[in-house]
Structures are given as structure tokens and as C-alpha cells.
Amino acid sequence: MNAPLLGTPSATELHVMTLNIRRDLGALAWPRADRWGIRHPRLTALLRTERPDVLGVQEALPAQAAAISATLGPSFRRVGHGRLPGPRGEGCPLFYDADRLELRTWRQMALSRTPDRPGSRSWLSVAPRVAVEASFRDRRTDAVLTVLNTHLDAFSPWARLRQAQAVHDVAAASAAPVVVLGDLNASTGSAAARALEADDVLRDSWTAAVSRRTPAWSTFAGYRAPRRGHRIDGILVSPALPVRRVGIDARQYGGGWPSDHLPVHALIDLAPPAAVPPEEHA
């Protein structure tokens, strides 16, 4: 049985995780490993092993999101819905442990020129893309945190860049430190990755972490043995957030992988900064 990839978090560390769970394609799924009926119990085993405090998933259809909620248990809540009007279709739901985190506000926006119009597309994007933004208060440390979950365009570099700029601008406008979770379809050094990190608003948790517990596996693994390569899925954080440990989980669960993507994990320390003693005067 697998143990949690990053070990047991301290009392002030928040375990965040992102995973493109691969939408259920039904009878069209190929190879056999891609079938949701095979992957669902593997995903269940992964989530019961890890129990992240915050989980951002991508490509989730409503039934898949409901299955994840059932696996995580009654203390977990989710925000976010399908990206099409209705709402319908796949989405980027954000799951959180309500015993640990108090939800303050949340919204879902289209990554387009009209972010308030569900299903809208811009910049040559093949399909609508969304971001889910939620503000939390950590019940243990009283820290306030903004979390964004997104899935950038897989086909158009121009759309991907403009969507990354939109996510960056939302993060820059936050009064609280930010964590971005997502399938970014953008590797380190790409134009979209640079746009996300512009102006030192965000930094890649992989390079910011004190400890990296795994190799830099390619996160789009395609049900194959892990190999080093492009990290197109990731976690970005505000510079003010200390990242203690990160890892990319290439392990199998129940004889295989839960998705064609690998999950990415980070432990972020929300401990309040140490108080600076007042100056003594003679």
C-alpha cells in the first residue's frame, strides 16, 4: 500500500494537489487503461491515500466530480461546475476540507474577453476554458488564502498565452496570497509559463520548494512508465508562501494509473510570520 507521497504535513502545512482526471469518454475510451470504470477505483485509492486539504481537478464531468466528492467524504465541499451554459460539460471543480478551511467567497469565470459569460471563447480557443477562484480562511492559523484552479488551452499557443495572462491578472488583483492549481499545457520557460510568473506575482512551487521528493517526471504520462520531461501540470504560489515539499506521483494504484496525467502535490506552510521583537531603547 502506498504512503502519502510527501509524508504527514505539520499542523500549519496545507496539502494542495492538482490532477487532470481525464474526462470519461465512455465507449470511445482507448486504450483499455483509459476507461473510467477501470480508472475510478484507482483514483479512489489515490485520494484515500493522500487526503489533500485542497484538490483541484480538470476535465471533470458532473458524475466524475460527484464520485470524487463521495470518495473524499462528508467534511469535503466543492465549488465549480461545467464550463458550458446550464451549467453543463467538463469543468475544473475545486474540493476542500471544510473542517480545515472556511470558504469566504468563490466564483467561476470564463477565460475569455467576456469572463462573466458562461461558455464564451476568445483568442482562437477551440473550447471554452474556465478558472475557479475561491477565498479561504485557514481555521488553524487564521491565514487567508486565494486558490485558483484552471485548465489552459491545449491546442492554440495564442489562446494559452492570453488565458495565462488572464489568470495572472486575477492572481495579481488578490489581496491575499495565491495558489494556482492546473493543467497548464505549458512547460517551464514557455510563453504561457512566463506570463503566469510575470512581475513576480507567482512562482513555480517546484523550483521554490525546500525539498523535491520525486524526479521531475513528465506530468502527461499517457499510462506509461514515468519518464523525465515536460511538467505541463503544476502548482504556482505567491512568493510570500513558503513551499516545504513538492512531488509528482508516478506510482500505480490498484495495478495502474488513475489518469493519463500524474498528480502534483505541494505542502505550503501557512504559519504566521514570526513576530519581530520591539526595539529596546536605552
Side-chain angles (χ1 to χ4, degrees):
M1 179 178 292
N2 292 326
L5 185 71
L6 303 184
T8 302
S10 73
T12 60
E13 289 174 347
L14 189 76
H15 178 188
V16 299
M17 170 181 165
T18 183
L19 175 62
N20 180 326
I21 65 166
R22 177 64 168 160
R23 66 178 294 162
D24 180 3
L25 293 177
L28 298 177
W30 182 260
R32 185 174 184 272
D34 195 45
R35 297 176 186 171
W36 175 243
I38 292 174
R39 295 189 293 108
H40 180 199
R42 295 172 178 173
L43 179 60
T44 296
L46 164 65
L47 295 178
R48 287 179 175 169
T49 296
E50 293 294 345
R51 298 290 298 176
D53 299 304
V54 178
L55 168 65
V57 304
Q58 302 84 40
E59 288 196 25
L61 293 172
Q64 292 176 295
I68 292 172
S69 289
T71 296
L72 291 172
S75 73
F76 277 78
R77 306 287 185 270
R78 78 174 185 263
V79 293
H81 47 71
R83 62 192 185 185
L84 299 174
R88 297 176 291 110
E90 69 176 65
C92 296
L94 190 61
F95 302 80
Y96 66 96
D97 185 353
D99 287 348
R100 172 72 190 268
L101 296 169
E102 175 192 356
L103 179 67
R104 301 168 75 228
T105 61
W106 79 276
R107 62 171 175 155
Q108 177 166 309
M109 69 203 83
L111 296 179
S112 74
R113 293 188 180 92
T114 52
D116 296 328
R117 184 159 67 87
S120 58
R121 296 179 292 154
S122 300
W123 312 307
L124 305 179
S125 186
V126 173
R129 299 288 174 171
V130 299
V132 174
E133 178 188 23
S135 172
F136 298 104
R137 182 186 67 85
D138 180 39
R139 300 182 191 275
R140 294 182 187 173
T141 65
D142 211 36
V144 176
L145 184 72
T146 296
V147 181
L148 286 158
N149 183 36
T150 194
H151 185 186
L152 304 186
D153 197 275
F155 305 105
S156 167
W158 174 240
R160 187 160 54 248
L161 173 60
R162 293 303 302 268
Q163 292 162 5
Q165 291 170 338
V167 172
H168 166 276
D169 291 348
V170 172
S174 173
V178 178
V179 175
V180 174
L181 309 171
D183 176 355
L184 308 173
N185 280 305
S187 57
T188 304
S190 66
R194 293 196 306 271
L196 286 165
E197 298 183 52
D199 308 315
D200 295 322
V201 169
L202 297 166
R203 57 181 181 159
D204 183 356
S205 66
W206 185 263
T207 56
V210 174
S211 173
R212 289 179 283 278
R213 292 299 180 90
T214 70
W217 299 125
S218 171
T219 59
F220 183 48
Y223 310 110
R224 297 187 297 271
R227 61 199 186 281
R228 294 175 184 267
H230 298 300
R231 293 183 292 109
I232 66 170
D233 304 81
I235 299 170
L236 296 97
V237 298
S238 295
L241 292 174
V243 183
R244 300 305 182 196
R245 299 191 290 282
V246 294
I248 300 168
D249 193 355
R251 301 175 297 180
Q252 296 188 33
Y253 292 81
W257 292 278
S259 175
D260 57 349
H261 288 245
L262 300 179
V264 182
H265 302 261
L267 294 184
I268 298 167
D269 200 340
L270 299 182
V276 177
E279 293 183 8
E280 294 186 5
H281 299 279

